[in-house]
């Protein structure tokens, strides 16, 4: 009887040790970067964010405005002066149009360090001042 109890204790201890030494890829792993912004008519708050290069980050995007809004990251070196310069092929990635009063959470990765322009790509919003910067370090 003692031998089986000792074996049971050894198996339980091994299971605990292996569980504590996980590979860090668990869904509950909280090591990623999280940023947030609130869109209103016509601004982001905050309007600048910093994330690590080559690592996933999550953006929590809340639309408190009365119109749809987007959070579009423009490719490095493609900075826009006005909406006349905009084309979809300049968008690196984006949170697509979110209706007024709604929110979403999305995850992205940017490999190349630099300062990226962020705009609301819905017509007239960028020209109305809806932009920010994403710094990737």
């Amino acid at each position: 009887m003692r031998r089986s109890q000792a074996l049971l204790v050894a198996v339980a201890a091994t299971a605990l040790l292996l569980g504590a030494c996980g590979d860090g890829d668990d869904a509950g792993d909280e090591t990623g970067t999280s940023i947030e912004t609130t869109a209103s008519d016509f601004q982001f708050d905050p309007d600048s964010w910093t994330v690590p290069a080559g690592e996933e980050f999550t953006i929590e995007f809340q639309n408190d405005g009365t119109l749809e809004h987007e959070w579009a990251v423009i490719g490095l070196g493609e900075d826009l002066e006005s909406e006349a310069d905009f084309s979809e092929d300049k968008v690196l990635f984006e949170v697509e149009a979110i209706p007024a009063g709604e929110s979403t959470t999305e995850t992205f990765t940017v490999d190349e360090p630099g300062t990226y322009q962020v705009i609301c790509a819905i017509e007239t919003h960028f020209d109305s001042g809806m932009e920010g910067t994403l710094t990737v370090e």
Side-chain angles (χ1 to χ4, degrees), residues 91-128:
V91 175
L92 183 61
F93 57 85
E94 67 187 310
V95 174
E96 294 286 345
I98 301 299
E102 294 190 18
S103 64
T104 190
T105 301
E106 297 194 27
T107 301
F108 303 102
T109 302
V110 183
D111 292 324
E112 191 171 352
T115 301
Y116 294 78
Q117 184 180 34
V118 178
I119 68 166
C120 180
I122 295 177
E123 191 173 343
T124 72
H125 293 205
F126 173 59
D127 281 347
S128 296

Short mmCIF file of all heavy atoms in Angstrom, two decimals, residues 91-128:
data_model
loop_
_atom_site.label_atom_id
_atom_site.label_comp_id
_atom_site.label_asym_id
_atom_site.label_seq_id
_atom_site.Cartn_x
_atom_site.Cartn_y
_atom_site.Cartn_z
N VAL A 91 -2.37 50.78 -47.05
CA VAL A 91 -2.76 50.32 -45.71
C VAL A 91 -1.99 49.04 -45.38
O VAL A 91 -2.07 48.05 -46.11
CB VAL A 91 -4.28 50.07 -45.63
CG1 VAL A 91 -4.66 49.48 -44.28
CG2 VAL A 91 -5.04 51.37 -45.89
N LEU A 92 -1.24 49.07 -44.28
CA LEU A 92 -0.51 47.89 -43.82
C LEU A 92 -1.48 46.90 -43.19
O LEU A 92 -1.46 45.71 -43.48
CB LEU A 92 0.56 48.33 -42.81
CG LEU A 92 1.49 47.26 -42.27
CD1 LEU A 92 2.29 46.62 -43.40
CD2 LEU A 92 2.44 47.86 -41.23
N PHE A 93 -2.35 47.38 -42.30
CA PHE A 93 -3.43 46.61 -41.70
C PHE A 93 -4.40 47.58 -41.07
O PHE A 93 -4.08 48.75 -40.88
CB PHE A 93 -2.93 45.58 -40.68
CG PHE A 93 -2.13 46.18 -39.55
CD1 PHE A 93 -2.76 46.70 -38.44
CD2 PHE A 93 -0.75 46.22 -39.62
CE1 PHE A 93 -2.03 47.25 -37.40
CE2 PHE A 93 -0.01 46.77 -38.58
CZ PHE A 93 -0.65 47.30 -37.47
N GLU A 94 -5.61 47.10 -40.74
CA GLU A 94 -6.60 48.01 -40.16
C GLU A 94 -7.67 47.29 -39.36
O GLU A 94 -7.93 46.11 -39.57
CB GLU A 94 -7.26 48.85 -41.26
CG GLU A 94 -8.14 48.06 -42.20
CD GLU A 94 -8.66 48.90 -43.35
OE1 GLU A 94 -9.18 50.01 -43.14
OE2 GLU A 94 -8.52 48.43 -44.49
N VAL A 95 -8.26 48.05 -38.47
CA VAL A 95 -9.51 47.67 -37.83
C VAL A 95 -10.57 48.25 -38.75
O VAL A 95 -10.65 49.47 -38.91
CB VAL A 95 -9.63 48.25 -36.40
CG1 VAL A 95 -11.00 47.96 -35.83
CG2 VAL A 95 -8.52 47.71 -35.51
N GLU A 96 -11.33 47.38 -39.40
CA GLU A 96 -12.35 47.82 -40.36
C GLU A 96 -13.43 48.64 -39.66
O GLU A 96 -13.51 48.67 -38.43
CB GLU A 96 -12.98 46.61 -41.05
CG GLU A 96 -12.03 45.84 -41.94
CD GLU A 96 -11.69 46.54 -43.25
OE1 GLU A 96 -12.40 47.51 -43.65
OE2 GLU A 96 -10.72 46.12 -43.88
N ALA A 97 -14.28 49.29 -40.45
CA ALA A 97 -15.31 50.20 -39.96
C ALA A 97 -16.12 49.59 -38.81
O ALA A 97 -16.70 48.52 -38.93
CB ALA A 97 -16.25 50.58 -41.09
N ILE A 98 -16.12 50.31 -37.69
CA ILE A 98 -16.84 49.91 -36.49
C ILE A 98 -18.01 50.89 -36.31
O ILE A 98 -17.79 52.11 -36.26
CB ILE A 98 -15.92 49.93 -35.24
CG1 ILE A 98 -14.73 49.00 -35.43
CG2 ILE A 98 -16.70 49.59 -33.98
CD1 ILE A 98 -15.07 47.55 -35.64
N PRO A 99 -19.22 50.38 -36.22
CA PRO A 99 -20.38 51.27 -36.05
C PRO A 99 -20.30 52.07 -34.75
O PRO A 99 -19.68 51.66 -33.77
CB PRO A 99 -21.57 50.30 -36.01
CG PRO A 99 -21.08 49.05 -36.70
CD PRO A 99 -19.61 48.97 -36.37
N ALA A 100 -20.98 53.20 -34.74
CA ALA A 100 -21.05 54.06 -33.55
C ALA A 100 -21.55 53.25 -32.36
O ALA A 100 -22.46 52.43 -32.48
CB ALA A 100 -21.98 55.24 -33.82
N GLY A 101 -20.88 53.46 -31.21
CA GLY A 101 -21.29 52.80 -29.98
C GLY A 101 -20.79 51.38 -29.81
O GLY A 101 -21.06 50.75 -28.80
N GLU A 102 -20.05 50.85 -30.78
CA GLU A 102 -19.55 49.48 -30.68
C GLU A 102 -18.04 49.47 -30.47
O GLU A 102 -17.37 50.49 -30.59
CB GLU A 102 -19.94 48.69 -31.93
CG GLU A 102 -21.45 48.51 -32.03
CD GLU A 102 -21.85 47.53 -33.10
OE1 GLU A 102 -21.01 46.72 -33.55
OE2 GLU A 102 -23.03 47.58 -33.49
N SER A 103 -17.51 48.28 -30.17
CA SER A 103 -16.08 48.13 -29.97
C SER A 103 -15.63 46.79 -30.53
O SER A 103 -16.46 45.91 -30.81
CB SER A 103 -15.74 48.22 -28.48
OG SER A 103 -16.33 47.15 -27.78
N THR A 104 -14.32 46.66 -30.67
CA THR A 104 -13.73 45.41 -31.14
C THR A 104 -12.33 45.29 -30.57
O THR A 104 -11.73 46.28 -30.17
CB THR A 104 -13.71 45.33 -32.68
OG1 THR A 104 -13.34 44.01 -33.08
CG2 THR A 104 -12.73 46.34 -33.29
N THR A 105 -11.82 44.08 -30.57
CA THR A 105 -10.44 43.81 -30.17
C THR A 105 -9.81 43.00 -31.28
O THR A 105 -10.37 41.98 -31.69
CB THR A 105 -10.39 43.03 -28.84
OG1 THR A 105 -11.05 43.82 -27.84
CG2 THR A 105 -8.97 42.76 -28.41
N GLU A 106 -8.67 43.45 -31.78
CA GLU A 106 -7.97 42.74 -32.85
C GLU A 106 -6.49 42.66 -32.53
O GLU A 106 -5.97 43.47 -31.77
CB GLU A 106 -8.21 43.43 -34.19
CG GLU A 106 -9.68 43.39 -34.57
CD GLU A 106 -9.93 43.74 -36.02
OE1 GLU A 106 -9.04 43.53 -36.86
OE2 GLU A 106 -11.04 44.23 -36.29
N THR A 107 -5.82 41.68 -33.14
CA THR A 107 -4.41 41.44 -32.88
C THR A 107 -3.61 41.55 -34.17
O THR A 107 -4.04 41.04 -35.21
CB THR A 107 -4.23 40.03 -32.26
OG1 THR A 107 -4.99 39.98 -31.05
CG2 THR A 107 -2.78 39.75 -31.94
N PHE A 108 -2.47 42.22 -34.09
CA PHE A 108 -1.59 42.44 -35.24
C PHE A 108 -0.13 42.27 -34.81
O PHE A 108 0.18 42.28 -33.63
CB PHE A 108 -1.76 43.87 -35.79
CG PHE A 108 -3.16 44.21 -36.19
CD1 PHE A 108 -3.97 44.99 -35.38
CD2 PHE A 108 -3.67 43.74 -37.39
CE1 PHE A 108 -5.26 45.31 -35.75
CE2 PHE A 108 -4.97 44.06 -37.78
CZ PHE A 108 -5.77 44.84 -36.96
N THR A 109 0.75 42.18 -35.81
CA THR A 109 2.20 42.17 -35.59
C THR A 109 2.84 43.06 -36.63
O THR A 109 2.48 43.00 -37.81
CB THR A 109 2.77 40.73 -35.75
OG1 THR A 109 2.11 39.87 -34.82
CG2 THR A 109 4.27 40.70 -35.50
N VAL A 110 3.79 43.90 -36.21
CA VAL A 110 4.57 44.73 -37.13
C VAL A 110 6.03 44.36 -36.93
O VAL A 110 6.55 44.48 -35.81
CB VAL A 110 4.37 46.25 -36.87
CG1 VAL A 110 5.13 47.06 -37.91
CG2 VAL A 110 2.90 46.61 -36.88
N ASP A 111 6.68 43.91 -37.99
CA ASP A 111 8.06 43.46 -37.86
C ASP A 111 9.09 44.59 -37.95
O ASP A 111 10.12 44.55 -37.29
CB ASP A 111 8.37 42.42 -38.94
CG ASP A 111 7.61 41.12 -38.70
OD1 ASP A 111 7.43 40.74 -37.53
OD2 ASP A 111 7.19 40.50 -39.69
N GLU A 112 8.82 45.59 -38.77
CA GLU A 112 9.81 46.63 -39.03
C GLU A 112 9.66 47.83 -38.09
O GLU A 112 8.61 48.47 -38.06
CB GLU A 112 9.70 47.12 -40.48
CG GLU A 112 10.84 47.99 -40.89
CD GLU A 112 10.84 48.29 -42.39
OE1 GLU A 112 10.04 47.72 -43.14
OE2 GLU A 112 11.65 49.14 -42.79
N PRO A 113 10.70 48.14 -37.30
CA PRO A 113 10.63 49.31 -36.41
C PRO A 113 10.46 50.60 -37.22
O PRO A 113 10.89 50.69 -38.37
CB PRO A 113 12.00 49.30 -35.71
CG PRO A 113 12.49 47.91 -35.83
CD PRO A 113 11.96 47.41 -37.17
N GLY A 114 9.82 51.56 -36.60
CA GLY A 114 9.62 52.86 -37.23
C GLY A 114 8.39 53.53 -36.68
O GLY A 114 7.72 53.02 -35.79
N THR A 115 8.07 54.70 -37.24
CA THR A 115 6.88 55.44 -36.86
C THR A 115 5.89 55.38 -38.01
O THR A 115 6.20 55.84 -39.12
CB THR A 115 7.22 56.89 -36.49
OG1 THR A 115 8.16 56.87 -35.41
CG2 THR A 115 5.98 57.66 -36.06
N TYR A 116 4.73 54.83 -37.74
CA TYR A 116 3.70 54.62 -38.75
C TYR A 116 2.55 55.60 -38.54
O TYR A 116 2.15 55.86 -37.40
CB TYR A 116 3.15 53.19 -38.65
CG TYR A 116 4.15 52.12 -38.98
CD1 TYR A 116 5.13 51.74 -38.07
CD2 TYR A 116 4.11 51.47 -40.21
CE1 TYR A 116 6.05 50.74 -38.38
CE2 TYR A 116 5.03 50.47 -40.52
CZ TYR A 116 5.99 50.11 -39.60
OH TYR A 116 6.90 49.12 -39.91
N GLN A 117 2.03 56.11 -39.64
CA GLN A 117 0.86 56.98 -39.57
C GLN A 117 -0.39 56.11 -39.41
O GLN A 117 -0.52 55.06 -40.05
CB GLN A 117 0.77 57.80 -40.87
CG GLN A 117 -0.34 58.81 -40.89
CD GLN A 117 -0.37 59.59 -42.20
OE1 GLN A 117 -0.05 59.06 -43.27
NE2 GLN A 117 -0.75 60.85 -42.12
N VAL A 118 -1.30 56.56 -38.55
CA VAL A 118 -2.58 55.88 -38.34
C VAL A 118 -3.67 56.87 -38.69
O VAL A 118 -3.62 58.03 -38.27
CB VAL A 118 -2.74 55.43 -36.87
CG1 VAL A 118 -4.10 54.78 -36.65
CG2 VAL A 118 -1.61 54.49 -36.47
N ILE A 119 -4.64 56.41 -39.48
CA ILE A 119 -5.73 57.30 -39.88
C ILE A 119 -7.07 56.58 -39.77
O ILE A 119 -7.12 55.36 -39.69
CB ILE A 119 -5.57 57.82 -41.33
CG1 ILE A 119 -5.75 56.67 -42.34
CG2 ILE A 119 -4.22 58.50 -41.52
CD1 ILE A 119 -5.92 57.14 -43.78
N CYS A 120 -8.13 57.34 -39.77
CA CYS A 120 -9.44 56.79 -40.02
C CYS A 120 -9.62 56.92 -41.53
O CYS A 120 -9.61 58.02 -42.07
CB CYS A 120 -10.55 57.54 -39.29
SG CYS A 120 -12.18 56.82 -39.62
N ALA A 121 -9.74 55.78 -42.21
CA ALA A 121 -9.76 55.77 -43.67
C ALA A 121 -11.15 55.97 -44.26
O ALA A 121 -11.33 55.84 -45.47
CB ALA A 121 -9.15 54.47 -44.18
N ILE A 122 -12.12 56.30 -43.44
CA ILE A 122 -13.46 56.58 -43.96
C ILE A 122 -13.45 57.99 -44.54
O ILE A 122 -12.89 58.92 -43.95
CB ILE A 122 -14.52 56.41 -42.85
CG1 ILE A 122 -14.55 54.92 -42.45
CG2 ILE A 122 -15.87 56.91 -43.30
CD1 ILE A 122 -15.48 54.59 -41.32
N GLU A 123 -14.07 58.14 -45.69
CA GLU A 123 -14.05 59.40 -46.43
C GLU A 123 -14.36 60.60 -45.55
O GLU A 123 -15.31 60.57 -44.76
CB GLU A 123 -15.06 59.33 -47.59
CG GLU A 123 -14.93 60.47 -48.55
CD GLU A 123 -15.82 60.30 -49.77
OE1 GLU A 123 -16.29 59.18 -50.04
OE2 GLU A 123 -16.01 61.30 -50.47
N THR A 124 -13.55 61.62 -45.65
CA THR A 124 -13.56 62.93 -44.96
C THR A 124 -13.01 62.88 -43.54
O THR A 124 -12.70 63.93 -42.99
CB THR A 124 -14.96 63.60 -44.91
OG1 THR A 124 -15.80 62.93 -43.99
CG2 THR A 124 -15.60 63.70 -46.28
N HIS A 125 -12.83 61.71 -42.95
CA HIS A 125 -12.38 61.64 -41.56
C HIS A 125 -10.92 62.05 -41.38
O HIS A 125 -10.59 62.78 -40.46
CB HIS A 125 -12.63 60.25 -40.98
CG HIS A 125 -14.09 59.93 -40.83
ND1 HIS A 125 -14.55 59.02 -39.92
CD2 HIS A 125 -15.19 60.41 -41.48
CE1 HIS A 125 -15.88 58.94 -40.02
NE2 HIS A 125 -16.27 59.77 -40.97
N PHE A 126 -10.04 61.57 -42.27
CA PHE A 126 -8.63 61.95 -42.18
C PHE A 126 -8.46 63.45 -42.40
O PHE A 126 -7.76 64.14 -41.65
CB PHE A 126 -7.79 61.14 -43.16
CG PHE A 126 -6.35 61.58 -43.25
CD1 PHE A 126 -5.53 61.59 -42.13
CD2 PHE A 126 -5.81 61.99 -44.46
CE1 PHE A 126 -4.20 62.00 -42.22
CE2 PHE A 126 -4.49 62.39 -44.55
CZ PHE A 126 -3.68 62.40 -43.43
N ASP A 127 -9.11 63.98 -43.43
CA ASP A 127 -9.01 65.43 -43.70
C ASP A 127 -9.63 66.26 -42.57
O ASP A 127 -9.32 67.44 -42.43
CB ASP A 127 -9.66 65.78 -45.03
CG ASP A 127 -8.76 65.45 -46.21
OD1 ASP A 127 -7.56 65.17 -46.00
OD2 ASP A 127 -9.26 65.45 -47.37
N SER A 128 -10.48 65.64 -41.76
CA SER A 128 -11.06 66.33 -40.60
C SER A 128 -10.18 66.22 -39.37
O SER A 128 -10.56 66.66 -38.28
CB SER A 128 -12.45 65.75 -40.29
OG SER A 128 -13.33 66.00 -41.37
#
